Amino acid sequence: MEIYTTPTGMQAQSLNWKRQGKRIGLVPTMGFLHEGHLSLMDIAAAHADLVVVSIFVNPTQFGPSEDLEAYPRNLERDLALCRERGVAAVFTPEPSDVYGPEYQSYVSLEKLPNHLCGLSRPVHFRGVATVVSKLFNIVLPDLAVFGEKDFQQLAVIRRLTADLNFPVRIMGGPIVREADGLAMSSRNAYLSPEERVSALCLSMALKHVASEVEKGERDVALLKASTEKIILSRPHTEIDYIAFCDPQTLEAVDSIGGPVLMALAVKVGSTRLIDNQVF
Ligand code: PAF
């Protein structure tokens, strides 16, 4: 497995592979890999000749009061997992390799970031859109795979790929859950044993709403009220949002007519967790 730390080194290798007619599948990550990331690598491997994983804790997608410094890191373990999974190359630059001292170019979207996580994380999607655009230019992938847990991120990336004419197929990988239902996330590592139990309220609330919708409930206000009850019945929980929205535009809806995205962001202790399901 090759390891590249500079954009020029990675790009030169990708150009080589392209000249050989190889199809490149990219899995962008911020490291501290778990089964969810590994499942994205498997999807990439099934649709490309070789897989590149990027491991980069991207500073521009963190707000000033967020967890950039504390974000969990374990590069040695991540590299071992990538090697075991048959990854061809890992791109793991330093922030200064990606954002030089004169850096001033950003990609921002007009509408999709004005919902859900974008409301409490105002710079987040500009940082994601910028780094993903740069990764596309550096790694030159034919396809790129992102987790559906970050539903809004995936929507933003699909939009920017179409808007900016990147010749990249965007694929979503289903949410991977722990045996008890908690969606896998690198941030789960922050949870204390007691918070880990409380964190189950997200997947429990989604399950509850799924069964209410199945029984015929269509009123979003009622579904929101019961969701709030489930979440707040657990210690250390604070709701950022409970949203029901159109899966394409992310605009809020007040009844379940066609397909609806239910998305949750909940702080458990000081850890902000997200989860979602489309009904
Ligand atoms: O989902 C993530 O891990 C990050 O937001 C991404 C897509 C790698 C961009 O930094």
Side-chain angles (χ1 to χ4, degrees):
M1 185 177 81
E2 308 287 336
I3 298 169
Y4 295 95
T5 56
T6 64
T8 44
M10 182 70 246
Q11 200 178 45
Q13 176 61 280
S14 289
L15 283 167
N16 253 334
W17 279 325
K18 290 207 113 40
R19 273 192 288 271
Q20 294 164 22
K22 303 272 193 224
R23 283 175 55 77
I24 302 171
L26 170 65
V27 180
T29 81
M30 298 207 299
F32 213 69
L33 303 177
H34 51 68
E35 283 296 326
H37 295 112
L38 301 182
S39 73
L40 304 182
M41 295 176 204
D42 292 345
I43 295 173
H47 293 87
D49 297 314
L50 52 92
V51 176
V52 174
V53 172
S54 62
I55 298 178
F56 178 57
V57 183
N58 172 38
T60 62
Q61 68 189 73
F62 289 78
S65 59
E66 291 180 357
D67 57 343
L68 172 62
E69 295 309 325
Y71 196 84
R73 291 162 169 90
N74 190 340
L75 185 60
E76 282 315 304
R77 183 177 165 273
D78 289 348
L79 293 175
L81 286 170
C82 289
R83 209 169 274 122
E84 271 170 33
R85 218 65 177 194
V87 166
V90 168
F91 175 50
T92 180
E94 288 299 319
S96 57
D97 296 318
V98 177
Y99 301 107
E102 295 301 324
Y103 196 84
Q104 51 189 290
S105 306
Y106 292 91
V107 177
S108 54
L109 286 79
E110 301 249 316
K111 291 194 219 157
L112 285 173
N114 304 336
H115 305 280
L116 308 179
C117 293
L119 297 176
S120 58
R121 306 189 72 192
V123 300
H124 179 66
F125 289 108
R126 183 178 89 139
V128 169
T130 301
V131 81
V132 169
S133 302
K134 286 169 72 70
L135 288 170
F136 286 177
N137 285 327
I138 294 165
V139 179
L140 306 171
D142 296 275
L143 62 97
V145 193
F146 298 85
E148 288 171 356
K149 184 170 76 68
D150 296 288
F151 191 99
Q152 185 174 18
Q153 167 170 283
L154 183 54
V156 161
I157 291 163
R158 286 192 198 284
R159 188 69 262 151
L160 84 87
T161 303
D163 288 353
L164 301 183
N165 305 99
F166 282 113
V168 181
R169 175 177 173 198
I170 304 300
M171 301 182 73
I175 297 176
V176 177
R177 297 182 180 280
E178 304 284 357
D180 60 5
L182 180 67
M184 287 199 185
S185 163
S186 305
R187 288 190 167 98
N188 292 349
Y190 298 143
L191 299 168
S192 69
E194 205 190 351
E195 290 166 352
R196 173 67 182 72
V197 176
S198 287
L200 285 177
C201 67
L202 286 94
S203 55
M204 284 175 58
L206 292 172
K207 254 196 193 151
H208 164 78
V209 168
S211 98
E212 289 302 296
V213 171
E214 184 72 30
K215 284 187 230 155
E217 184 56 68
R218 294 290 177 264
D219 185 332
V220 161
L222 288 178
L223 294 169
K224 263 190 185 175
S226 56
T227 301
E228 193 174 308
K229 238 186 183 166
I230 292 172
I231 294 171
L232 296 180
S233 70
R234 298 295 177 125
H236 315 297
T237 54
E238 187 190 322
I239 295 169
D240 179 355
Y241 62 74
I242 300 170
F244 289 77
C245 51
D246 179 306
Q248 301 294 325
T249 63
L250 307 183
E251 302 280 351
V253 298
D254 51 23
S255 70
I256 314 273
V260 168
L261 166 74
M262 176 178 174
L264 300 173
V266 176
K267 261 180 118 177
V268 181
S270 56
T271 307
R272 188 174 174 283
L273 300 176
I274 57 173
D275 203 344
N276 72 77
Q277 189 171 336
V278 176
F279 302 118

